[in-house]
């Protein structure tokens, strides 16, 4: 019948006082009911252990508030089933659908089917419930408010009404039932002799109403709160506000414990002074208690190494240690990986979301394929997934990927159908590999397309039946059969996957259950998928019980309360991590929260969380932070870090730097030991064969890295392959027929030649809409060839322009099929732009062609029976082949060669003299010597994009000794000699070309000397 508020700082004996009070009650009334309420299950275990250590706890119920509601309701004959996440998702979705059908939803209409909206509504409803705000009150408040708020109130009212119709209750609504049970029956909790609420620092409105009613029936109610009565310190602000509310609403008897907190010296000093505005003498810490590391990853390593050291050297059990981190989602993968490396058993306070399990993610990706129209990226991910047997082996999947690239399949089954047809028709094309600017070897060559297509057809049938609306139970059956068909269960990898599979099964059961509760209805596939995603989003993947045995607890900073540990490490004391950046709630905004007395989303008193966190440790405390962000710039310290730092002498802080020497005996894993050994250039454990082998291998890798970092490339790891020079000399002998493009590749960068021509590596790129540079170049060449086909009209500009219209119309129409690309939405605009550029080309070229007439277009040499160009290099003669875009003749029978280029890079003298552009002199020699078309007096590249000739013109070319075409030939021959010598002697150093590396270089994604900047 009485409420007592017991206030004391953390670790000052509040829990001990509670236990003594329980013992007193049990001593005087041995069979009386006692309830101890704590914030969570972990704290319940901790409290029970303390109770047991003090002499026993038989008859004392220790649990969360939910346990007590259930107990009260059951004792009062109220058995209301609680919503599962699946059922809740379904009801909220239904609520939204019905409101929309009744035209009550306008503001939120456009997002009504988004899974994110349904999840956000679930959170909103939950918060309204725990804030004890009835639908009526919320409705009245929003009647004259914005449409957004009003529609939220409509949805909330509909949701609660639907729950009442079904006679189910939501998780947060349980307290409403418990309150009405207490209101309706003054004896509902009268047999409880003592209620203790320990470990809380905040009570929601619903909870306060419940406690008030409970205390009117129970014998005694004892509530503890951390803090100091009358304190104005910032660390006590949150509890001070709570004490004031409880005093106002409960009129309790308030008492305070006067004992000093039983904390280790350093934590005690923090507890007494941190964040106070006045000056203190910096205290010597008993040992370093703060570590600054260069990154979050290094910070995690430092913290876990510190814990492992205490575990091994001080024999502290892992179960007595805890790590709390702000922004746990960013730290979780780092903690998991590092703990794994260090051999530390850890468990997280919150199990991972089921939706993040790789197996479940694979299923969701598979199911979402029809929704994204089988986008190639998603489709290939599914085909590569190890979780499904789709009847396709690795080679077939690789081939399918090649098909997507060759036929530019971006998405959709239609594109696949077109692709098969196109590839079958072009499969017989045996073009010669002569000009890499305009042709590449089909990557699907050699693939049995018909067999591949048949094998892949099975995949499309997986989704044959999704066009019909079905009940949830039917959809679940379909999914189960689909997974069985794909041997999903047999493909699961390890214990975690099997647990995920079981949890997925539970989620599917919950979906079926939701239908039996809320009624059967036929829904479309999209709707089913949304229900499934919503159900899975609310489900968690429990960790196996085994993993909790003697394991380190990892939790969010906000969870560092109530329970105590011997050792606690707190992570993330840098700006933006802790205190966390708070964002206002877009649905329940701050004004609404203030008006309805709800907890603010902003200024959540993270100071109090910090205060609670560092007072959790009974023996050792460590606070850490990263001091550099990813790009190497400084990361500001959090105000809490600065506040802690100013209390201690410098020796309390360790800053880890790249050159901080580490004792190898302190290494927490073999990996770390070897790494430190490399840094220090010596390994302490020379008798350990395994360690020494690893150390040597990494040292070698380090040497290679150092070589690659040196300014000038040298050695075998930089493309100097003189050991295989004899093989290369044989492979690239004078027997080979060369193309100008091949030689130019070496001239551009020898390493690019090694990667693309010797090793024949190619890059995998996802197909994109639109043409690539090769397709565009081929198309423009084809158009110009057709326009100038009838040479007799070559000087009639109007005729040529009319012809251009006719040719472009026909070429553009067939272009996607001919060149194998998918037109982008800009295709229509691009066509107009290219027509305009080609018109300019014809006009300007005609002006520059007075006295010249085309005599040959797309002239082959060394191909299809035409003579190859034999180049006498002095010590040998090599042969070349290719296509000359255009050969003109004048009245004197002299020759001019033109080579069309889409872009304008390196078409100058320097391009020739560096070996990057050799086509023009080679083609001129081919026209003159191989094809005997006449003496070449002129030649240039023609830039279609800018309708201009290149600055390099054969007639104007000058070398140190000579000028004109002959001088250009000599320069080209010198370059060809240099290139051949380089290839045959195995010299392939990576030398980024002036102006940057070409984006199409197959090494561009990983080359250590890559330089950006090149454009075609
Ligand atoms: S990325 Fe640059 S330096 Fe490296 S191989 Fe390619 S072109 Fe050469």
């Amino acid at each position: 019948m009485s409420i007592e508020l017991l206030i004391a700082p953390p670790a000052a004996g509040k829990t001990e006082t509670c236990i003594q009070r329980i013992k007193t009650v049990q001593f005087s009334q041995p069979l009386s009911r006692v309830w101890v309420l704590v914030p969570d299950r972990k704290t319940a275990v901790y409290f029970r252990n303390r109770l047991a250590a003090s002499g026993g706890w038989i008859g004392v119920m220790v649990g969360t508030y939910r346990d007590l509601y259930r107990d009260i309701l059951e004792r009062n004959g109220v058995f209301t089933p609680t919503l599962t996440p699946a059922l809740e998702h379904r009801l909220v979705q239904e609520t939204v659908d019905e409101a929309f059908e009744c035209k009550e939803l306008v503001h939120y209409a456009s997002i009504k089917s988004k899974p994110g909206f349904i999840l956000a509504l679930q959170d909103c409803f939950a918060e309204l419930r725990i804030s004890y705000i009835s639908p009526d009150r919320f409705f009245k408040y929003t009647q004259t408010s914005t449409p957004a708020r009003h529609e939220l109130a409509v949805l909330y009212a509909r949701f609660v009404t639907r729950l009442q119709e079904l006679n189910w209750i939501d998780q947060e609504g349980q307290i409403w039932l418990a309150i009405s049970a207490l209101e309706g029956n003054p004896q509902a909790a009268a047999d409880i002799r003592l209620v203790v609420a320990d470990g809380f620092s905040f009570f929601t409105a619903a909870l306060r109403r419940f406690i008030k009613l409970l205390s009117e029936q129970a014998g005694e109610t004892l509530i503890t709160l951390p803090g100091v009565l009358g304190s104005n310190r910032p660390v006590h602000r949150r509890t001070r506000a709570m004490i004031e509310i409880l005093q106002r609403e409960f009129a309790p008897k308030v008492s305070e414990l006067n004992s000093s907190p039983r904390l280790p010296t350093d934590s005690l000093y923090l507890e007494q002074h941190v964040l106070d505005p006045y000056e203190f003498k910096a205290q010597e810490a008993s040992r370093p208690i703060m570590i600054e590391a260069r990154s979050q990853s290094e910070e995690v390593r430092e913290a876990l190494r510190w814990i492992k050291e205490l575990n091994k050297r001080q024999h502290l059990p892992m179960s007595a240690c805890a790590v709390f981190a702000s922004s746990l989602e960013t730290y979780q993968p780092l903690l998991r990986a590092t703990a794994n490396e260090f051999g530390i058993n850890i468990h997280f306070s919150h199990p991972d979301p089921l939706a993040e399990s790789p197996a479940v993610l694979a299923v969701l990706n598979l199911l979402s394929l029809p929704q994204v129209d089988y986008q190639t990226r998603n489709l290939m991910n599914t085909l590569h997934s190890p979780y499904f047997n789709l009847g396709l082996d690795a080679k077939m999947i690789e081939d399918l990927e090649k098909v997507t690239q060759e036929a530019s399949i971006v998405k959709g089954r239609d594109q696949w159908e077109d692709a098969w047809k196109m590839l079958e028709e072009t499969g017989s094309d045996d073009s010669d590999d002569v000009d890499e600017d305009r042709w590449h070897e089909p990557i699907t060559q050699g693939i049995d397309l018909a067999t591949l297509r048949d094998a892949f057809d099975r995949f499309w049938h997986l989704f044959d039946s999704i066009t019909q609306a079905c009940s949830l139970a039917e959809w679940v059956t379909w999914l189960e059969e689909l997974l069985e068909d794909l041997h999903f269960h047999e493909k699961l990898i390890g214990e975690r996957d099997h647990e995920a599979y079981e949890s997925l099964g539970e989620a599917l059961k919950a979906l079926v259950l939701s239908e039996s509760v809320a009624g059967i209805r036929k829904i479309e596939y999209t709707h089913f998928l949304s229900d499934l995603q919503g159900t899975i989003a609310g489900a968690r993947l429990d960790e196996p019980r085994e993993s909790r045995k003697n394991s380190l607890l990892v939790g969010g900073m906000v969870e560092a309360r109530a329970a105590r540990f011997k050792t606690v490490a707190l992570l993330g004391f840098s700006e933006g991590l802790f205190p966390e950046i708070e964002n206002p709630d877009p649905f329940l905004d701050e004004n609404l929260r203030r008006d309805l007395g709800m907890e603010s989303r902003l200024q959540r008193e993270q100071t109090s969380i910090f205060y609670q966190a560092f007072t959790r440790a009974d023996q050792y405390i460590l606070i850490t932070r990263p001091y550099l962000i990813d790009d190497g710039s400084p990361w500001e310290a959090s105000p809490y870090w600065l506040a802690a730092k100013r209390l201690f002498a410098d020796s309390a802080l360790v800053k880890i730097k790249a050159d901080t020497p580490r004792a190898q005996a302190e290494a927490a894993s073999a990996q770390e030991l070897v790494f430190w050994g490399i840094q220090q250039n010596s390994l302490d454990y020379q008798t350990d064969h395994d360690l020494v082998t690893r150390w040597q291998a990494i040292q070698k890798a380090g040497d290679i890295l150092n070589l690659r970092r040196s300014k000038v490339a040298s050695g075998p790891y930089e493309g100097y392959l003189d050991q295989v020079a004899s093989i290369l000399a044989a492979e690239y002998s004078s027997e080979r027929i060369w193309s100008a493009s091949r030689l130019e590749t070496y001239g551009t960068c020898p390493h690019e030649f090694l990667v693309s021509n010797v090793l024949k590596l190619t890059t995998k790129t996802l197909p994109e809409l639109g043409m690539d540079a090769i397709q565009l170049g081929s198309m423009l060449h084809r158009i110009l060839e057709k326009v100038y086909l009838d040479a007799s009209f070559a000087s009639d500009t109007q005729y040529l322009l009319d012809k251009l219209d006719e040719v472009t119309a026909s070429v553009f129409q067939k272009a996607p099929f001919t060149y194998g690309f998918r037109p982008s939405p800009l295709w229509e605009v691009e066509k107009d732009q290219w027509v305009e550029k080609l018109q300019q080309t014809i006009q300007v070229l005609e002006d520059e062609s007075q006295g010249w007439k085309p005599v040959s277009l797309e002239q082959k040499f060394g191909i299809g029976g035409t003579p190859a160009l034999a180049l006498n290099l002095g010590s040998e003669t090599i042969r070349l082949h290719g296509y000359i875009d255009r050969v003109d003749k004048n009245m004197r029978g002299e020759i001019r060669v033109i080579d069309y280029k889409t872009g304008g890079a390196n078409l100058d003298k320097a391009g020739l003299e560096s070996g990057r552009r050799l086509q023009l002199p080679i083609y001129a020699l081919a026209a003159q010597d191989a094809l005997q078309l006449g003496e070449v007096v002129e030649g240039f590249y023609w830039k279609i994009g800018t309708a201009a000739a290149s600055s390099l013109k054969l007639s104007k070319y000058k070398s140190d000794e000579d000028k004109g075409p002959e001088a250009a030939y000599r320069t080209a021959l010198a370059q060809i000699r240099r290139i051949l010598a380089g290839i045959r002697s195995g010299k392939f150093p990576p030398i980024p070309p002036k102006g940057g590396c070409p984006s199409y270089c197959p090494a561009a994604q990983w080359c250590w000397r890559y330089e950006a900047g090149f454009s075609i």
Side-chain angles (χ1 to χ4, degrees):
M1 304 286 174
S2 66
I3 299 187
E4 183 180 344
L5 206 54
L6 178 66
I7 296 162
K14 292 188 293 300
T15 302
E16 186 53 38
T17 306
C18 293
I19 290 171
Q20 288 311 322
R21 183 70 59 87
I22 292 165
K23 289 177 87 169
T24 307
V25 165
Q26 286 205 312
F27 185 74
S28 59
Q29 295 170 292
L31 295 177
S32 57
R33 285 182 75 209
V34 173
W35 260 97
V36 178
L37 302 169
V38 290
D40 49 47
R41 305 243 167 263
K42 170 174 52 74
T43 317
V45 172
Y46 168 76
F47 198 102
R48 272 186 217 118
N49 288 344
R50 294 245 346 228
L51 209 50
S54 74
W57 52 280
I58 292 170
V60 181
M61 305 296 295
V62 183
T64 64
Y65 270 100
R66 286 214 172 117
D67 297 323
L68 180 53
Y69 312 149
R70 212 170 300 127
D71 184 67
I72 290 174
L73 291 172
E74 282 171 9
R75 281 167 183 266
N76 282 272
V78 181
F79 297 97
T80 308
T82 309
L83 290 187
T84 59
L87 185 50
E88 184 163 343
H89 186 271
R90 158 87 191 267
L91 287 186
V92 175
Q93 179 73 68
E94 242 179 49
T95 303
V96 171
D97 292 347
E98 282 165 12
F100 180 72
E101 277 163 27
C102 296
K103 306 203 181 327
E104 291 171 343
L105 222 54
V106 177
H107 182 81
Y108 291 118
S110 60
I111 54 168
K112 69 179 177 48
S113 304
K114 304 273 181 212
F117 177 57
I118 304 301
L119 291 173
L121 281 181
Q122 285 177 251
D123 288 346
C124 275
F125 297 167
E127 222 184 322
L128 289 165
R129 299 287 263 173
I130 61 169
S131 303
Y132 206 49
I133 294 168
S134 68
D136 276 355
R137 188 176 159 210
F138 192 41
F139 198 80
K140 272 189 204 127
Y141 171 76
T142 61
Q143 244 171 354
T144 53
S145 192
T146 61
R149 282 180 178 179
H150 184 64
E151 288 182 13
L152 207 54
V154 168
L155 293 171
Y156 181 47
R158 277 185 168 276
F159 174 68
V160 175
T161 307
R162 184 78 175 116
L163 279 179
Q164 285 160 354
E165 283 167 7
L166 293 171
N167 202 20
W168 279 60
I169 194 72
D170 52 326
Q171 294 275 347
E172 286 71 23
Q174 283 179 322
I175 193 168
W176 288 61
L177 286 185
I179 288 170
S180 72
L182 289 172
E183 284 171 340
N185 178 5
Q187 296 301 309
D191 61 337
I192 301 178
R193 174 67 186 82
L194 171 66
V195 177
V196 172
D198 188 35
F200 295 88
S201 56
F202 184 81
F203 297 89
T204 63
L207 211 42
R208 298 200 300 272
R209 174 78 188 137
F210 175 73
I211 294 171
K212 179 110 175 62
L213 291 168
L214 187 66
S215 68
E216 286 166 6
Q217 299 188 12
E220 288 176 61
T221 303
L222 174 63
I223 300 169
T224 69
L225 272 178
V228 174
L229 265 182
S231 166
N232 285 324
R233 293 185 59 202
V235 291
H236 295 141
R237 195 181 296 139
R238 180 177 162 102
T239 45
R240 187 170 63 238
M242 200 68 248
I243 290 167
E244 281 167 14
I245 292 173
L246 295 186
Q247 282 184 311
R248 197 169 54 241
E249 293 185 7
F250 296 170
K253 175 185 161 203
V254 181
S255 57
E256 209 173 3
L257 289 177
N258 292 323
S259 47
S260 175
R262 287 188 293 276
L263 290 170
T265 327
D266 305 326
S267 301
L268 185 62
Y269 198 60
L270 271 171
E271 193 280 328
Q272 287 167 342
H273 303 297
V274 77
L275 287 167
D276 287 347
Y278 30 90
E279 287 299 319
F280 294 95
K281 182 176 173 294
Q283 177 166 295
E284 284 295 335
S286 52
R287 52 187 288 162
I289 58 165
M290 301 174 85
I291 294 182
E292 283 184 299
R294 284 168 297 173
S295 62
Q296 285 177 284
S297 151
E298 189 175 67
E299 181 194 4
V300 165
R301 298 185 78 84
E302 293 301 325
L304 292 191
R305 188 182 314 104
W306 175 77
I307 287 174
K308 186 168 177 179
E309 184 193 329
L310 290 170
N311 170 255
K312 296 289 173 202
R313 300 204 172 137
Q314 308 296 328
H315 307 293
L316 287 180
M318 275 296 169
S319 55
C321 307
V323 170
F324 295 106
S326 60
S327 311
L328 187 57
E329 63 285 2
T330 60
Y331 280 99
Q332 188 150 340
L334 298 172
L335 283 159
R336 209 184 274 285
T338 310
N340 199 20
E341 180 195 324
F342 287 6
I344 296 176
N345 200 10
I346 58 171
H347 75 275
F348 289 87
S349 56
H350 284 292
D352 291 340
L354 179 60
E356 285 177 15
S357 145
V360 172
L361 262 181
V363 172
L364 290 177
N365 281 343
L366 169 74
L367 296 180
S368 63
L369 284 177
Q371 278 199 312
V372 296
D373 198 12
Y374 304 94
Q375 254 176 19
T376 298
R377 181 191 292 271
N378 305 43
L379 176 61
M380 291 319 298
N381 284 347
T382 294
L383 297 187
H384 280 295
S385 169
Y387 291 106
F388 308 121
N389 180 351
L390 291 154
L392 299 163
D393 61 26
K395 165 85 172 58
M396 284 170 155
I397 295 168
E398 197 71 13
D399 288 348
L400 285 168
E401 197 154 3
K402 287 180 182 167
V403 168
T404 64
Q405 288 175 351
E406 189 66 30
S408 298
I409 301 173
V410 179
K411 61 180 180 180
R413 193 171 173 178
D414 294 349
Q415 290 192 3
W416 277 93
E417 293 305 324
D418 291 348
W420 294 121
K421 257 187 258 158
M422 186 181 86
L423 293 177
E424 273 155 22
E425 282 174 30
T426 56
S428 56
D429 183 4
D430 58 355
S431 309
D432 301 284
D433 175 9
V434 288
D435 187 346
E436 286 155 14
D437 282 354
R438 289 163 41 192
W439 188 85
H440 67 78
E441 193 175 341
I443 51 175
T444 49
Q445 222 169 34
I447 297 176
D448 181 349
L449 293 170
T451 308
L452 188 62
R453 180 183 184 167
D454 286 348
F456 189 45
D457 258 359
R458 179 181 170 235
F459 171 81
W460 298 113
H461 294 307
L462 295 178
F463 297 100
D464 274 351
S465 54
I466 64 166
T467 47
Q468 289 173 359
C470 299
S471 69
L472 264 176
E474 286 165 343
W475 279 122
V476 167
T477 307
W478 170 82
L479 176 56
E480 284 171 347
E481 284 171 4
L482 175 75
L483 294 180
E484 200 177 319
D485 200 24
L486 299 178
H487 301 265
F488 178 68
H489 182 254
E490 293 152 39
K491 294 271 186 177
L492 295 174
I493 310 153
E495 197 187 352
R496 244 0 228 159
D497 275 357
H498 283 279
E499 276 153 17
Y501 182 62
E502 271 178 37
S503 299
L504 178 65
E506 290 301 319
L508 293 178
K509 267 192 227 156
L511 270 181
V512 176
L513 173 72
S514 75
E515 187 166 62
S516 60
V517 173
I520 295 175
R521 58 182 183 153
K522 299 274 182 188
I523 54 172
E524 303 292 333
Y525 180 72
T526 316
H527 202 137
F528 161 65
L529 198 52
S530 164
D531 277 1
L532 181 65
Q533 283 166 337
T535 305
I536 288 176
R540 298 267 156 189
L541 180 54
D542 278 334
E543 298 192 39
R545 271 185 185 281
E546 276 306 296
S547 73
R548 296 180 184 215
K549 279 192 188 156
N550 196 24
S551 67
L552 169 71
L553 171 75
V554 177
M557 197 72 82
V558 72
E559 295 165 286
R561 59 185 180 191
R564 304 200 59 77
F565 303 87
K566 291 207 180 315
T567 298
V568 171
L570 305 175
L571 274 55
F573 281 72
S574 286
E575 272 295 344
L577 289 176
F578 188 57
E580 280 183 69
I581 297 167
E582 296 171 322
N583 296 309
D585 183 339
F587 290 91
L588 302 171
D589 60 68
E590 285 301 295
N591 290 340
L592 179 150
R593 285 168 182 273
R594 194 196 49 238
D595 294 348
L596 294 177
M598 297 171 74
E599 195 188 2
S600 165
R601 260 294 163 93
L602 307 177
Q603 296 140 17
R604 279 192 178 180
E605 295 300 347
Q606 297 192 60
T607 307
S608 163
I609 294 169
F610 167 51
Y611 175 67
Q612 291 273 320
F614 72 73
T615 53
R616 293 304 94 207
D618 287 336
Q619 270 180 277
Y620 302 101
I621 179 82
L622 180 71
I623 304 174
T624 65
R625 82 174 196 97
Y627 68 86
L628 294 177
I629 52 179
D630 288 348
D631 65 3
S633 50
W635 195 337
E636 294 299 320
S638 120
Y640 302 147
W641 173 273
L642 297 173
K645 189 175 159 222
R646 68 188 271 268
L647 296 181
F648 295 98
D650 291 348
S651 58
L653 172 69
V654 174
K655 185 166 187 166
I656 308 293
K657 297 184 181 160
D659 53 1
T660 304
R662 315 300 298 250
Q664 291 183 22
E666 305 291 315
S669 68
Q671 254 155 285
E672 195 166 70
L673 172 61
V674 171
F675 181 69
W676 289 353
I678 294 291
Q679 277 187 324
Q680 295 160 17
N681 213 16
S682 77
L683 185 71
D684 291 353
Y685 301 86
Q686 286 296 333
T687 50
D688 188 318
H689 175 71
D690 180 44
L691 282 178
V692 171
T693 311
R694 287 170 70 177
W695 180 68
Q696 285 168 341
I698 296 175
Q699 245 190 345
K700 191 170 177 191
D703 291 344
I704 295 170
L705 271 179
N706 282 336
L707 278 173
R708 288 180 173 176
R709 278 205 210 112
S710 66
K711 272 204 158 157
V712 182
S714 64
Y717 304 110
E718 288 274 42
Y720 283 94
L721 307 182
D722 42 351
Q723 309 94 316
V724 291
S726 56
I727 301 172
L728 290 163
E731 176 72 21
Y732 295 97
S733 72
S734 47
E735 296 301 308
R736 172 180 279 265
I737 295 200
W738 289 87
S739 70
S741 312
R742 284 269 155 96
L743 296 167
E744 287 175 347
T745 304
Y746 189 95
T748 302
C749 171
H751 205 72
E752 186 191 342
F753 183 89
L754 172 70
V755 174
S756 61
N757 286 289
V758 182
L759 301 177
K760 298 198 187 307
L761 300 182
T762 52
T763 41
K764 266 192 199 169
T765 47
L766 267 178
E768 285 177 4
L769 293 178
M771 274 188 275
D772 63 24
I774 292 179
Q775 291 161 336
L776 176 63
S778 302
M779 185 183 74
L780 296 180
H781 278 74
R782 183 77 181 133
I783 291 171
L784 286 171
E785 182 195 353
K786 285 185 155 211
V787 168
Y788 283 99
L789 207 55
D790 190 345
S792 56
F793 293 101
S795 51
D796 182 345
T797 309
Q798 193 48 54
Y799 168 82
L800 293 171
L801 291 174
D802 292 346
K803 183 88 177 159
L804 177 70
D805 287 344
E806 188 189 306
V807 170
T808 47
S810 113
V811 171
F812 285 160
Q813 196 197 358
K814 294 186 207 138
F817 192 77
T818 312
Y819 302 103
F821 68 92
R822 309 269 159 207
S824 76
L826 292 175
W827 174 229
E828 293 303 320
V829 181
E830 285 168 348
K831 284 195 294 190
D832 290 345
Q833 286 174 345
W834 282 113
V835 167
E836 206 176 305
K837 284 180 179 167
L838 288 165
Q839 283 170 345
Q840 284 168 3
T841 272
I842 289 171
Q843 278 162 344
V844 182
L845 195 50
E846 281 309 296
D847 291 346
E848 298 206 5
S849 297
Q850 299 306 316
W852 293 100
K853 263 202 176 346
V855 289
S856 196
L857 301 166
E858 295 291 307
Q859 173 63 54
K860 296 174 185 171
F861 62 97
I863 298 166
T866 56
L869 169 65
L871 270 188
N872 184 351
L873 301 177
S875 57
E876 64 172 323
T877 298
I878 64 158
R879 287 176 303 145
L880 290 115
H881 61 186
Y883 286 90
I884 311 168
D885 290 342
R886 171 169 164 169
V887 182
D888 290 353
K889 205 174 234 184
N890 64 17
M891 298 287 283
R892 292 188 293 279
E894 293 164 336
I895 294 294
R896 175 178 84 165
V897 293
I898 300 176
D899 191 54
Y900 300 131
K901 291 288 176 214
T902 319
N906 305 305
L907 306 178
D908 52 7
K909 190 173 179 231
L912 169 60
E913 292 177 351
S914 62
R916 292 178 74 175
R917 286 288 183 201
L918 300 171
Q919 274 175 333
L920 195 58
I922 288 175
Y923 290 178
L925 281 170
Q928 181 178 280
D929 298 345
L931 302 170
Q932 302 279 316
L933 295 174
E935 186 194 352
V936 174
V937 294
E938 183 57 294
F940 50 78
Y941 297 106
W942 183 263
K943 296 180 273 187
I944 302 174
T946 52
S950 60
S951 63
L952 176 69
K953 287 205 166 112
L954 292 182
S955 61
K956 304 258 168 48
Y957 180 77
K958 272 191 199 160
S959 67
D960 290 344
E961 301 90 35
D962 207 352
K963 61 181 184 183
E966 286 298 329
Y969 302 154
R970 266 190 287 281
T971 303
L973 288 182
Q975 284 302 323
I976 293 170
R977 271 187 223 104
R978 176 184 74 81
I979 289 167
L980 290 176
I983 294 170
R984 290 167 183 166
S985 59
K987 288 191 180 59
F988 302 109
I991 304 172
K994 206 170 158 203
C997 299
S999 54
Y1000 54 76
C1001 170
Q1005 285 173 14
W1006 45 263
C1007 177
W1008 52 99
R1009 295 199 187 264
Y1010 171 81
E1011 280 179 19
F1014 176 85
S1015 61
I1016 298 172

